[in-house]
Amino acid sequence: KGIEEIVLVFSPQAALDESTAVAEAVILYFMALDPALTVEEAGQMCTNIFNGFTYNSEKVSSLEKNGITHTLMIDGSSNFVILTTLE
C-alpha cells in the first residue's frame, strides 16, 4: 500500500473574506477523506489546524487523526495549502 497525497488550496483573501465558506469546505474535505469523522470532530480538527498555524515562523501546522495526516502550510504564491497524506 503506497502513500497518497491530496491537496486543498485557498487564497489568503478567501480565508479573510469568506472564512465561513473556507471553514465549511475544510470540514467537508476532512469528512470526505475520513468517513468515520462526525461533523463535530471535523469542525474541531479545522479549528485545531488553524489555531496551530503560526504565520510568521515555520508556516506549518499539522494534525493526525485515524491514520490520516493533514498539514497546513503556505506555498510559494502565498496560498494556504492543506496537504493530506493517506498511508
Side-chain angles (χ1 to χ4, degrees):
K1 201 168 164 182
I3 294 175
E4 186 175 348
E5 293 183 335
I6 301 164
V7 177
L8 176 67
V9 179
F10 52 95
S11 71
Q13 199 62 45
L16 288 173
D17 296 345
E18 304 292 336
S19 59
T20 300
V22 168
E24 289 172 357
V26 171
I27 289 167
L28 290 171
Y29 173 79
F30 287 157
M31 292 180 73
L33 295 172
D34 186 355
L37 291 175
T38 64
V39 173
E40 293 78 17
E41 288 171 326
Q44 189 60 54
M45 288 172 60
C46 182
T47 299
N48 291 349
I49 203 164
F50 283 101
N51 284 351
F53 189 76
T54 307
Y55 189 82
N56 291 320
S57 66
E58 289 182 20
K59 301 182 180 177
V60 166
S61 174
S62 188
L63 61 85
E64 185 273 334
K65 181 139 179 113
N66 299 333
I68 300 171
T69 303
H70 305 281
T71 304
L72 176 65
M73 62 188 92
I74 294 180
D75 70 10
S77 303
S78 297
N79 289 314
F80 288 98
V81 176
I82 296 179
L83 173 66
T84 300
T85 306
L86 308 171
E87 293 191 35

